[in-house]
C-alpha cells in the first residue's frame, strides 16, 4: 500500500492543477493577511477561502482524477493486491497531495502573520475541509460510472453545502423569527461540516458578537468542552462515513 500511495501522491503533486491550486492559495492568503489592517479581518477573509475555494477544488479535482484513473485502477486490481488497499492508497495519495498544497500555500503566511491559536485553527480547519470533500468525491465516483454525472453531482454538493443549505435555513429563520428557534437551528447547522468549521473558528476568535443572540447560543454550546467534542466527532464522521460507503461499493463493483 505504501508504494502505491507514494506513486499516486507524486503523480498528483506534480499535477499542473495542484501546482496552480498551491499558487492560488499562496496569492490569496498573502494578499488577505498583508492588506488587512488587523488580524481578525485577515483571519475572517482566510476563513472564506477555506469555506469556498478549498471545498470546490478538493471535490472537483478528486472526482475528475478518480474517473481519469479508472484504467490505472483496473490495472492495479489485476495484480495480487486487495481492493481495500488500492482504495486506501488512492485516498492517501490524493488527499495527501491536496493537504500538502494547502499547508504550503496557505500555511506559511498564516503562521507568519496570525496569532498561534488562530493559525492553528485555520490550518486544522483547512485540512479537515479538504479531507471531508475528498471523502465525498470518493463516494460520488462510486455512485455513477459517468464522468459528466459525477462532476455535476460534485458541483451540486458544493453548492448545497456552501450556499443552498444556509440560504434555506436563513429563510426559515425569517419565517419563524418570532419563535425561539436557536436550539433547533443550531442542530441543523451542525449537520453541515462547513458551518461547524465556520462557527468553531469565529467563536475561538471571540467574534461571536457578530452573530447576535444566536452567536451567544452557539458560544454557550460549542465553546464548552462537550460542544467541542460533539462538533469534532461530527466532522470526523463526515470524513469517515463517505469513504467507508465508497469502499463498500468499490469492493463489490464491477469496473
Amino acid at each position: 500500500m505504501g508504494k502505491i500511495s507514494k506513486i499516486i501522491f507524486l503523480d498528483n503533486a506534480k499535477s499542473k492543477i495542484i501546482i496552480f491550486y498551491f499558487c492560488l492559495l499562496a496569492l490569496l492568503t498573502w494578499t488577505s493577511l498583508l492588506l488587512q489592517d488587523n488580524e481578525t479581518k485577515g483571519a475572517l477573509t482566510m476563513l472564506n477561502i477555506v469555506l469556498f475555494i478549498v471545498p470546490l477544488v478538493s471535490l472537483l479535482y478528486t472526482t475528475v482524477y478518480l474517473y481519469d484513473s479508472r484504467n490505472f485502477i483496473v490495472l492495479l486490481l489485476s495484480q495480487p493486491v486487495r481492493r481495500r488497499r488500492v482504495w486506501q492508497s488512492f485516498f492517501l495519495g490524493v488527499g495527501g497531495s491536496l493537504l500538502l498544497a494547502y499547508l504550503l500555500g496557505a500555511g506559511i503566511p498564516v503562521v507568519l502573520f496570525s496569532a498561534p491559536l488562530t493559525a492553528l485553527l485555520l490550518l486544522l480547519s483547512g485540512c479537515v475541509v479538504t479531507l471531508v470533500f475528498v471523502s465525498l468525491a470518493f463516494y460520488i465516483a462510486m455512485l455513477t460510472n459517468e464522468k459528466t454525472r459525477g462532476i455535476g453531482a460534485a458541483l451540486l454538493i458544493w453548492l448545497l453545502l456552501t450556499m443552498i443549505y444556509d440560504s434555506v435555513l436563513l429563510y426559515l429563520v425569517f419565517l419563524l423569527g418570532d419563535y425561539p428557534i436557536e436550539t433547533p437551528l443550531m442542530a441543523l447547522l451542525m449537520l453541515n461540516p462547513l458551518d461547524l468549521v465556520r462557527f468553531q473558528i469565529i467563536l475561538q476568535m471571540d467574534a461571536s458578537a457578530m452573530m447576535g443572540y444566536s452567536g451567544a447560543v452557539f458560544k454557550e454550546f460549542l465553546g464548552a468542552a462537550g460542544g467541542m467534542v460533539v462538533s469534532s466527532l461530527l466532522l470526523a464522521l463526515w470524513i469517515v462515513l463517505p469513504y467507508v460507503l465508497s469502499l463498500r461499493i468499490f469492493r463489490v463493483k464491477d469496473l
Side-chain angles (χ1 to χ4, degrees):
M1 183 177 68
K3 292 182 179 179
I4 301 175
S5 299
K6 183 178 180 180
I7 293 172
I8 298 171
F9 173 80
L10 293 176
D11 180 51
N12 283 276
K14 294 184 292 184
S15 169
K16 293 181 180 179
I17 297 177
I18 294 294
I19 295 174
F20 174 77
Y21 177 53
F22 158 75
C23 295
L24 177 64
L25 285 176
L27 176 63
L28 292 176
T29 306
W30 281 98
T31 303
S32 300
L33 296 177
L34 287 176
L35 295 184
Q36 297 293 346
D37 54 359
N38 65 63
E39 178 189 328
T40 301
K41 290 182 179 179
L44 292 177
T45 303
M46 181 61 196
L47 176 60
N48 288 326
I49 296 174
V50 170
L51 296 178
F52 288 94
I53 295 178
V54 172
L56 178 62
V57 174
S58 299
L59 192 56
L60 278 181
Y61 177 80
T62 306
T63 302
V64 173
Y65 182 79
L66 289 175
Y67 281 111
D68 291 342
S69 301
R70 187 62 60 94
N71 291 334
F72 181 48
I73 294 175
V74 173
L75 176 63
L76 289 174
L77 294 179
S78 66
Q79 307 299 316
V81 182
R82 297 178 62 182
R83 288 197 172 208
R84 179 176 59 84
R85 292 189 175 182
V86 172
W87 208 232
Q88 287 176 351
S89 298
F90 268 85
F91 187 83
L92 293 174
V94 178
S97 62
L98 287 167
L99 287 176
L100 181 64
Y102 175 77
L103 290 175
L104 292 180
I108 295 175
V110 165
V111 170
L112 291 177
F113 296 102
S114 300
L117 178 59
T118 302
L120 179 62
L121 287 172
L122 289 173
L123 292 179
L124 287 177
S125 63
C127 291
V128 169
V129 169
T130 298
L131 293 177
V132 166
F133 283 85
V134 167
S135 183
L136 287 171
F138 271 67
Y139 185 49
I140 292 171
M142 285 294 98
L143 288 179
T144 176
N145 291 325
E146 295 185 20
K147 183 178 179 180
T148 304
R149 287 187 178 181
I151 294 175
L155 288 173
L156 181 61
I157 289 177
W158 178 76
L159 286 172
L160 175 64
L161 294 179
T162 56
M163 301 178 189
I164 299 175
Y165 189 85
D166 288 341
S167 299
V168 172
L169 289 185
L170 185 62
Y171 181 68
L172 292 177
V173 170
F174 176 75
L175 289 179
L176 305 174
D178 295 332
Y179 300 92
I181 59 172
E182 284 77 13
T183 300
L185 176 64
M186 179 177 63
L188 290 173
L189 286 174
M190 291 186 70
L191 297 178
N192 186 340
L194 297 181
D195 284 328
L196 283 172
V197 170
R198 177 188 294 114
F199 284 108
Q200 283 289 358
I201 293 179
I202 291 177
L203 292 175
Q204 294 300 324
M205 291 172 54
D206 292 328
S208 56
M210 297 166 51
M211 299 182 288
Y213 177 65
S214 61
V217 176
F218 277 95
K219 186 171 184 178
E220 181 180 354
F221 180 75
L222 292 180
M228 292 288 289
V229 171
V230 171
S231 59
S232 299
L233 289 175
L234 287 173
L235 287 172
L237 188 63
W238 270 100
I239 297 173
V240 173
L241 185 58
Y243 171 76
V244 171
L245 292 175
S246 71
L247 177 60
R248 292 185 62 180
I249 300 173
F250 180 72
R251 294 175 71 173
V252 299
K253 188 170 185 177
D254 184 8
L255 300 176

